[in-house]
Amino acid sequence: MIGSAPMWHDVVDLREFYETRRGQVARHMVRRAVRSVWPDVTGQRVLGLGFATPYLRQFRSEAERVLAFMPASQGVLHWPPEGPGVVSLVEETELPLPDYSVDRVLLVHGLENSEALRALLREIWRVLTGDGRLLVVVPNRRGIWARSDRTPLGWGHPYSAAQLSRVLRENMFTPTRTERALYVPPTTSHTLLRSAPAFERIGARFFPTFAGVVMIESGKQLYAGSAKRVRGRIGKPVVVQLPQAAGRVHRERTPKPT
C-alpha cells in the first residue's frame, strides 16, 4: 500500500534502495544498458542529474570530468564515498553551469518526478554542447516495476517509449536511440534475482515492451525555432559545494538570454 511505502524521491530512500539486493541487480542491469549507449566517453564532460550516481562510476576513469547534480527537492548525499565529492545541490531549473559546457547528460530518477518538466529540459538543452547527448532513463509505463510502489520506479509518472520521445521532441531534442532494460520482476527472491541476466536476454528478444525502464538518447534540435518561453527568469549560475548544500539554493536573479 502507498501509505506504508517510502516516498522514493527522497535521497536517503533512493540510496537505501540501491543498497538492497534488488537495487543492486537493478543498478547492474540498467548500468549495462547505459554503457551500451555510451561505450566511450573519453575526454568528455559528463553530468549526472537527478539520482544518477549509481550509474556514473563507470565513466570516471575515462571522462575529462564527471559531475552529479541532485535537485533541492530530493536532497543531496556525498559521492563518491572514497574521495572528494563531485556532487552539488541545485535547483533543477537553474543549473549552475555555463551555456554549452557539458558533452553528456544522464538523467535518472528525475524526469518522472519533476514538477517543472519543460524548464528542466530547457536547462539541460542550454548546458549541452552543440553535439552533446542527453540520455533519459524513466520507468516504463507497461513494465512490472512501474506497478510496484516498493521500488522508486513505482513512483512518479512512468512513460512509454512513444510518450518519452514526444516529450523530448516538444522540448527541442531529437531522439536518436531507444533502449530498454530490467526485465527481472521487482522481487526479493534471491533465486529470481540471480536469474536476472537470463531474464534480460529473453526479455530483450521476445518481450521488449515489458522492460522495467525505457531510455532514450537525444541530441539537441538546433534548426527549429525557439520553444515556448518558460515563465520566470533563470538565475545566475552558482555552484553549491558540500557541506553548504543543506537547503534550497538562492541566487541573484538576472534575465535569461533569449
Side-chain angles (χ1 to χ4, degrees):
M1 295 178 62
I2 293 178
S4 59
M7 292 296 290
W8 290 105
H9 57 73
D10 182 87
V11 69
V12 175
D13 292 324
L14 287 164
R15 179 190 62 183
E16 291 179 352
F17 166 74
Y18 281 107
E19 290 175 348
T20 67
R21 174 63 177 166
R22 178 169 50 183
Q24 291 170 3
V25 169
R27 175 177 57 192
H28 180 70
M29 296 297 106
V30 175
R31 182 169 56 193
R32 187 170 64 176
V34 169
R35 192 56 159 172
S36 73
V37 179
W38 292 345
D40 185 10
V41 296
T42 301
Q44 297 181 337
R45 292 155 291 182
V46 179
L47 170 65
L49 186 58
F51 192 75
T53 50
Y55 307 102
L56 291 178
R57 185 176 296 277
Q58 59 188 330
F59 300 127
R60 296 196 72 205
S61 62
E62 61 193 60
E64 175 190 319
R65 181 174 301 177
V66 173
L67 297 173
F69 286 173
M70 296 186 182
S73 59
Q74 170 190 282
V76 67
L77 289 172
H78 180 87
W79 185 85
E82 72 278 4
V86 298
V87 182
S88 290
L89 185 76
V90 303
E91 292 288 355
E92 62 183 16
T93 59
E94 300 180 22
L95 301 182
L97 290 171
D99 297 353
Y100 314 115
S101 59
V102 178
D103 301 295
R104 297 288 185 269
V105 175
L106 176 61
L107 179 59
V108 186
H109 298 301
L111 194 71
E112 68 269 28
N113 295 313
S114 178
E115 297 179 358
L117 184 150
R118 184 178 294 274
L120 168 62
L121 290 174
R122 184 68 48 77
E123 272 296 272
I124 294 173
W125 194 97
R126 180 183 66 81
V127 303
L128 273 175
T129 59
D131 60 349
R133 291 293 183 268
L134 164 65
L135 181 57
V136 182
V137 181
V138 294
N140 180 15
R141 175 176 289 277
R142 298 183 179 180
I144 300 176
W145 286 76
R147 303 172 190 273
S148 171
D149 58 18
R150 296 292 179 176
T151 82
L153 297 177
W155 290 82
H157 181 78
Y159 292 84
S160 67
Q163 290 170 335
L164 180 57
S165 178
R166 179 176 179 180
V167 167
L168 291 168
R169 291 180 185 278
E170 289 177 346
N171 288 278
M172 300 180 67
F173 286 94
T174 301
T176 57
R177 179 172 176 177
T178 300
E179 294 289 339
R180 296 172 176 83
L182 198 57
Y183 293 90
V184 65
T187 178
T188 56
S189 167
H190 285 191
T191 300
L192 287 177
L193 291 174
R194 282 196 297 268
S195 303
F199 275 98
E200 211 72 6
R201 290 192 299 271
I202 295 171
R205 183 172 182 179
F206 298 108
F207 310 104
T209 303
F210 302 106
V213 301
V214 60
M215 56 184 71
I216 294 183
E217 182 193 38
S218 299
K220 292 177 68 171
Q221 186 182 106
L222 300 174
Y223 53 83
S226 299
K228 296 179 181 178
R229 186 178 181 86
V230 180
R231 289 187 178 181
R233 296 181 296 178
I234 300 301
K236 183 179 180 180
V238 177
V239 175
V240 181
Q241 301 290 347
L242 294 175
Q244 293 172 292
R248 292 178 62 84
V249 182
H250 297 276
R251 301 181 183 85
E252 177 184 357
R253 300 285 178 169
T254 57
K256 182 179 179 180
T258 57

